[in-house]
Structure formats: C-alpha cells, structure tokens
Amino acid sequence: MRFDADYFEALETPRMARLAENVVAAAFPLMKLMPARFILDRAEASGEIKRNAHIVETTSGTFGMAVALLAAARGYRLTLVTASSLMDPKYQARLQRLGAEVIALDDPRGDGNQTGRLDNLGSILHREPEAFWTRQYDSDGNWLAYARLADLFVRAMGQIDCLVGCIGTGGSLCGTGTFLRRVFPHLRIIGVDTHRSILFGQPLGKRVLRGLGNSVLPRNVRHELIDEIHWVGAYPAFHAAHRLFRQHGIFMGPTSGAAALVGQWVSKTSPDARIAVIMPDEGHRHADTVYSDIWLSTLPGWRTPASTTPTKISRIEPRSETAWTRFEWRRRRLEDVMRLQSTEG
C-alpha cells in the first residue's frame, strides 16, 4: 500500500447526510480524488506512467486539485490546461503552490473554450509523447472508480430506488448508477445539468453555473442510463446551497446545491422512494462568490425569485438563470432524442 493511501482515501470519503426522511446525500470533501487516484494507481500498476513522469489534463476545477495533490505526493510534474473564465486567482494559486503549472487560455465567449484547451493539451503531448494524460472525459477509470461510492450508498441506505447527481464528465453519476443498477434493476437515474451545456442537446453558450455541464461531449456520459434530466439555472442552485448550509450545516458548493435541490424535489413527488444524492463540491472555493451578498448583488436578475419546482418541457432549449426545467429522457441515445426533437419541431 502506498504511504499516501490512507490519507487520500479519507479525503475522498463522503459524509452521508440525511436531507429528508427518504433522502441520503454523499457530501464529499473532494470527490474527484476518487477517480484521480484510481486512474493513477492503475497506470502505475500497469507501467503506463513512469517514475517522475509529466501528467497533463484539461480541467476547470476539482479534478485538477485532486491530481495536483496526488502529483505533489508522488513526485510527478503536472500541467493543467484551463480557461481564464473558469479559474479564479485564489484557486490557481493553490494549484501552483502544489507545484502545478496552470495554463489559463483566453475565453472570450465565456463557454469554457474546451476546444482550445484540448488543442493546447494536444500540442503538449506532441512535444512530450511520454507525458501521461489522465483523460478524465474518456477514461473508463473515471466511472469504474465509483464502485466504492455505490458500495457506500448501499451500506448507508440498503434499498435505493433513485440516484440523483450532476453530470460534467459523466464519471460519478454514470459510474455509480451502473454499479447500483446491477443490484437494483429498477433504479431510476436522474441527471442534473445546467442551461447552455451541450450534454443533453442544448446549444452551447455562456454558463454561469460551473462544476457541471460541458462544452464538449465526453465518452463517459452515457445517455442510455438516464431516465430524466434536469437543467438547473445558477440562481436556484445558489439558493439551494445556502439552504443546505442554513438547514443542515453542510457547507457545499453550487453544484451540490443543484443536486440537493433536485433530490429533495424527487423526495416530495415520490415519498415512498429511497433517494441517493451525489454532492461533489464543498463551499470553500465559493466563499467570495456564491456565499457573498456583495458578489450576488452584481448578478443581473438575482433579486428575481428563482424557480422552486421544475417546469416539465417537451422541447429542449435553454432558459434564464432563474429557471429549472426537466425532461423525460427515458434511457435513450442522444442522437435518437435530437432526431425526434428535429422532426417534432
């Protein structure tokens, strides 16, 4: 066993918090350590990654922090490629303190510039073909790592009828859902996305809510697992994060707020179901933004009441940041849903 194994396993282990009589949420200190450690452990065991290797990845958040912690502990060089719109100076400074090189590309459209980031990463790999790319979007190590989370949910809850989680790379929800559905074939899986993310057919645009959604389509997003998709605007997610802190003493980020919001709504509409919710991010990174009244007051329309229940839609389209919509996905492929949308339009 590696000397760092016990410490990092503790850091990636969630607190199981009861949000309602029939809702248990996995509240993580740093969820992305789970796939990052799994991917690196497997690469080390296979010899794919060499001693003192150079690790590269494109990231906008906590996967980068997870890899940075592991790289520092294990003596790897690390380069993270991100967008200027996604990386606040304090978070970047923390990554650099761990020894990571952070390349923040311009993002004039505010959509994350994922194409530019992947191009930049490709250039690094062309110059250094021995570098190791963790490939969080496409590596099966991402979703396989969540077998442990599925086990933790079963131990905490026994029967599970519904799983709710946000989707960005697809690893946590699709991985946990895959393993849970082997035990509970009836399991309903509900994904949480945000407006102007392309993952479930919306057109690409500037996203205010970060930590979920994407401007590219990762292979680890498996649409045929999903029963229902919710698009949560930034403002309902912010309010939900505030309520988690006030009502439960859980200081979580807005991605966790969005997941809790949907999970608690499901608990009211399906009171006999036992619901598991994945909450991936703590609130510390958002102390100067989501938890700052000064920052919130600068947001257009922040004083407008945000949705407290989702609007069921039949046409996939983006809404305002106050909106929360839901769509019956019914375990279909993305191309099949979009083909039907175009014929019905």
Side-chain angles (χ1 to χ4, degrees), residues 119-138:
D119 287 346
N120 189 282
L121 191 148
S123 297
I124 296 172
L125 291 170
H126 180 74
R127 295 194 305 270
E128 301 182 51
E130 294 300 313
F132 178 74
W133 181 10
T134 44
R135 292 183 179 272
Q136 63 164 326
Y137 290 174
D138 302 323

Side-chain angles (χ1 to χ4, degrees), residues 314-317 327 336-345:
S314 58
R315 296 292 306 164
I316 297 175
E317 58 186 10
F327 178 83
D336 293 336
V337 173
M338 298 316 296
R339 186 182 305 113
L340 191 60
Q341 289 278 301
S342 64
T343 58
E344 291 178 349

Side-chain angles (χ1 to χ4, degrees), residues 159-162 181 183-189 227 331:
Q159 175 75 29
I160 302 172
D161 303 303
C162 180
R181 200 169 265 165
V183 183
F184 308 112
H186 69 284
L187 181 76
R188 185 179 173 206
I189 300 177
D227 293 288
R331 305 187 190 185

Side-chain angles (χ1 to χ4, degrees), residues 166-169 192-194 197-199 207 209 211-216:
C166 296
I167 300 187
T169 68
V192 183
D193 198 359
T194 193
S197 157
I198 72 162
L199 293 180
R207 304 193 307 277
L209 182 57
L212 74 168
N214 216 314
S215 55
V216 297

